[in-house]
Amino acid sequence: MGRSVIRALLAASLLAVVAASGHAQSQSQSEWETVLRLQLADESKCEFLRIVSMRQLPVSGLDEIEGRVRCTDGREFDFSRQKAHQKFTIRLCQPAVC
């Protein structure tokens, strides 16, 4: 899939998430997950495998989402987003030795 096609799909998905902010929780989850998958593919060349962990934090009127995903190549990324209309912040999760 071309980079411009992925960006167009990402933009369309972001608009869909904003438009659907009043829909049921299960529908909203699938929409943010679609946006996350497209953003991971575009920015990190990650073929999504599964969500390792995820939580939603309704704080001060924000609907923050954060968690971790695993790619088919074994890499894991931490993700977060404060509002539905924003892009996700995605960080490569690397082992830390203490």
Side-chain angles (χ1 to χ4, degrees), residues 14 35-36 54:
L14 284 172
V35 171
L36 178 61
M54 187 280 301

Side-chain angles (χ1 to χ4, degrees), residues 12-72:
S13 294
L14 284 172
L15 288 174
V17 168
V18 171
S21 61
H23 288 265
Q25 179 65 25
S26 61
Q27 186 175 5
S28 293
Q29 181 176 355
S30 65
E31 290 168 350
W32 69 255
E33 190 176 317
T34 299
V35 171
L36 178 61
R37 287 173 184 243
L38 290 169
Q39 191 176 338
L40 282 164
D42 183 48
E43 294 177 5
S44 303
K45 308 301 181 247
C46 168
E47 186 178 329
F48 180 88
L49 178 63
R50 69 183 179 96
I51 294 176
V52 176
S53 63
M54 187 280 301
R55 66 180 178 166
Q56 289 186 289
L57 306 167
V59 179
S60 301
L62 302 176
D63 191 22
E64 186 170 343
I65 299 172
E66 62 181 37
R68 181 172 292 171
V69 296
R70 181 171 295 147
C71 307
T72 57

Side-chain angles (χ1 to χ4, degrees), residues 1-7:
M1 197 178 280
R3 193 169 183 89
S4 60
V5 173
I6 291 173
R7 286 188 181 177

